[in-house]
């Protein structure tokens, strides 16, 4: 197996250094989830400035496994006892998805003049790979869609920890761990997580590496195979790399393209955050859970980003992950259905134009 080219290694080194510097600065400023948020923002700025940042595919898979391991290791032992409260939040999740897609899709179409394909594919809260796969078949403007979607992910990564700090809401303090996994335990856990992630990928489960790794780590913890926590340096590395991965998604997007789609993307994200916040406030009136935890479960952010924030803010990662899995499953059915409706409307419009 040949070694990666020097330029690729240099780009990777630059990316990690920028992410680490951004995370360190945010942490020094006292911002919550600073290593994650600061890394994402720093790499985003670097990418938009033309710095050759890059996260190769093999490292993305490593990051996904690390996130899954960390989420599984952070699962609260009493998570399963809270299952009776989940139907309420899952119903809220289904309702909010309909509202988000309908409202933001309408806004992007009517106010910003985007075609229906671009507007509605941009409005789906998540399942970015599926959305871009459909866009590649000729539905909508793929570059506008990816810009709006990536803006959503970045803004959520920044907004959630800030909201958890400055809004007058209850949120959990991160419980200080007393025991940490040793090197041998980490290797065994990592091997199990990789195997589960590959299996989930073979089964075409959305976000397979993250969910497979989390499933393995959670099962092992709830099964009593380990009780210790992830070593803090490894968790910190996971946050920095996750932030770098989020920021690196802006590579290849010119500033002109970014600013052309940014206004619509920011307004769509603001609308989405507002809808999720209202739903989360409603759910917390009915269930005994922290607002921040419910918000992260209902959030339209990427699983890896919201999962990492859940760890950083001390929330129940099992609740957050389960809701994101259900969200992805709902979107797996909703996206093709909405695209089919758009295609039918286009055909009707074309027929009326000929007549």
């Amino acid at each position: 197996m040949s070694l990666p080219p020097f330029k690729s290694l240099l780009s990777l080194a630059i990316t990690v250094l920028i992410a680490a510097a951004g995370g360190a600065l945010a942490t020094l400023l006292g911002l919550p989830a600073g290593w994650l948020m600061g890394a994402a923002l720093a790499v985003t700025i670097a990418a938009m400035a033309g710095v050759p940042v890059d996260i190769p595919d093999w490292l993305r898979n490593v990051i996904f496994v690390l996130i899954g391991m960390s989420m599984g290791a952070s699962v609260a032992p009493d998570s399963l006892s809270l299952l009776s409260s989940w139907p309420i939040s899952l119903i809220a999740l289904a309702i909010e998805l309909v509202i988000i897609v309908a409202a933001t899709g309408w806004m992007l179409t009517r106010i910003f003049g985007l075609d229906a394909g671009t507007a509605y594919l941009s409005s789906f809260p998540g399942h970015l790979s599926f959305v871009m796969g459909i866009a590649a078949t000729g539905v909508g403007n793929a570059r506008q869609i990816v810009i709006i979607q990536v803006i959503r992910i970045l803004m959520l990564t920044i907004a959630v920890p800030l909201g958890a700090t400055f809004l007058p809401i209850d949120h959990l303090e991160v419980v200080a761990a007393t025991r940490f996994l040793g090197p041998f335990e980490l290797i065994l856990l990592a091997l199990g997580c990789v195997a589960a992630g590959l299996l989930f990928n073979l089964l075409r489960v959305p976000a397979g590496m993250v969910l497979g790794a989390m499933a393995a780590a959670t099962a092992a913890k709830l099964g009593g195979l380990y009780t210790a926590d992830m070593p803090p340096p490894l968790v910190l590395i996971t946050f920095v790399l996750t932030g770098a991965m989020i920021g690196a998604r802006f590579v290849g997007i010119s500033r002109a393209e970014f600013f052309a789609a940014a206004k619509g993307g920011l307004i769509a994200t603001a609308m989405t955050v507002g809808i999720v916040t209202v739903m989360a406030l409603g759910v917390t009136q009915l269930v005994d859970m922290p607002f921040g935890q419910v918000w992260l479960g209902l959030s339209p952010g990427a699983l890896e980003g919201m999962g990492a924030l859940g760890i950083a803010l001390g929330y129940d990662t099992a609740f957050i992950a389960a809701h994101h899995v259900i969200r992805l499953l709902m979107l797996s059915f909703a996206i093709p259905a909405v695209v089919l409706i758009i295609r039918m409307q286009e055909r009707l419009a074309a027929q009326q134009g000929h007549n």
Side-chain angles (χ1 to χ4, degrees), residues 185-210:
E185 292 173 306
L186 277 173
I187 291 171
L188 288 179
L189 181 60
L191 290 174
C193 289
V194 170
L198 292 173
L199 176 61
F200 274 44
N201 274 349
L202 285 173
L203 297 175
R204 299 187 182 279
V205 176
M209 289 304 293
V210 177

Side-chain angles (χ1 to χ4, degrees), residues 156-167:
L156 287 171
T157 304
I158 296 171
V160 172
L162 289 178
T165 298
F166 297 113
L167 292 179

